[in-house]
Amino acid sequence: MKTKKLKIFFKWLGNAFFLLAFLASMSFAWNADGLKKTRSLEFKINNTNGNVFLQESQLRDFIGISETGWQNRLKNNFITQLEQKLSQHPSVYHCKVFTSLSGKITIEAHSKTPLMRITDLNSHSLYIDFEGGSMPLSDLWTARLPLVSGYFKANDFKVVRKPVSKPTLKTFNAFEFCRHTLTDTLFKHLIHGIYFDSTGTVILTPVIGPEQIIMDTSGYYPQKLNQLKQFYKTAYRTSSQWNCYQILDLRYSNQIIAIPYKPFKTKTEDRKSTRLNSSH
């Protein structure tokens, strides 16, 4: 009985010793790999939606390394420094830096995806991405995006990496409204401008159809946008109906006021009208 227990004990002890030896060797290999010097550097840049906000030369300047400034640095320290620096780039959404056994450093950078361009009351312009993060305007690329402008400050408008709450009757958030509108299957193709005036009125500018769509910031806007979508489906069934209305007003509860275009009068018609009025 004692002999059997001793065999089990020594077997367990041997397995434990083997495991410790394996972990020690892996730790030594990891430390040795970390002490290796970098030999080459590669950038893999993923720009979304056809935008070119990130370029290799731009990232090199941002992290402060020249064509040869990265050579012969300790890999582990260099990787940590690169990841920390790149995560602070205003147009980088996600980055990953990894290395090979030969000393090759690979930098993968994914750009943010801008949703809109905003210009506040101080004429300060920047891009806002889908999560409310800000992106500066780029000298390398100009994105074709809806313009949001009016009486707000850029710092008040953006919501950086904050979960979006559901809108209620008593709350209105400019970013949430714009994101809700500009990600809708219809309105993301239709609306190319949003303006917030000083009285709490929101003016949407569509590509086709009426010149203006007027809303306010006091109502439950998803419901009003759904009403607007139904109006488009019923009132604009053919291309000849696109120019029927000049303004669509959604500021009233459960209704849309459609103001038609005024008939265009030529100068001859205006003269005839003036003569008739004077004769009376």
Side-chain angles (χ1 to χ4, degrees), residues 58-228:
Q58 178 196 40
L59 293 181
R60 282 182 180 274
D61 292 339
F62 183 79
I63 58 183
I65 57 174
S66 61
E67 293 292 334
T68 58
W70 48 268
Q71 293 180 353
N72 296 323
R73 294 194 184 186
L74 297 180
K75 289 200 302 183
N76 283 352
N77 293 337
F78 191 39
I79 289 175
T80 302
Q81 294 172 5
L82 287 177
E83 288 182 338
Q84 291 175 349
K85 185 68 175 178
L86 286 171
S87 63
Q88 299 172 6
H89 193 286
S91 295
V92 171
Y93 176 72
H94 173 71
C95 67
K96 182 171 63 174
V97 183
F98 55 92
T99 180
S100 66
L101 294 175
S102 63
K104 178 181 179 181
I105 299 289
T106 301
I107 298 175
E108 287 188 359
H110 299 260
S111 73
K112 294 179 180 178
T113 303
L115 173 64
M116 69 195 93
R117 176 174 176 168
I118 69 170
T119 301
D120 66 5
L121 56 86
N122 296 319
S123 299
H124 180 210
S125 296
L126 49 85
Y127 295 114
I128 300 293
D129 70 1
F130 281 81
E131 297 185 11
S134 62
M135 300 173 59
L137 301 185
S138 173
D139 295 332
L140 303 173
W141 183 259
T142 300
R144 299 181 63 180
L145 296 169
L147 175 64
V148 180
S149 58
Y151 285 79
F152 59 84
K153 293 182 179 180
N155 291 332
D156 298 333
F157 186 85
K158 62 185 180 182
V159 181
V160 181
R161 307 261 183 248
K162 183 179 179 181
V164 178
S165 58
K166 293 183 178 180
T168 65
L169 287 170
K170 297 182 179 180
T171 62
F172 181 89
N173 180 277
F175 166 70
E176 293 179 7
F177 171 81
C178 291
R179 184 166 79 162
H180 183 95
T181 304
L182 299 177
T183 56
D184 181 85
T185 55
L186 172 62
F187 299 131
K188 69 180 181 180
H189 302 292
L190 183 67
I191 303 300
H192 71 94
I194 300 176
Y195 180 79
F196 295 89
D197 75 2
S198 59
T199 64
T201 300
V202 184
I203 301 174
L204 309 181
T205 306
V207 178
I208 55 177
E211 293 180 0
Q212 293 182 346
I213 300 171
I214 302 176
M215 300 180 63
D216 56 31
T217 58
S218 61
Y220 188 64
Y221 60 80
Q223 178 181 348
K224 293 190 175 184
L225 289 174
N226 285 333
Q227 293 173 352
L228 178 62

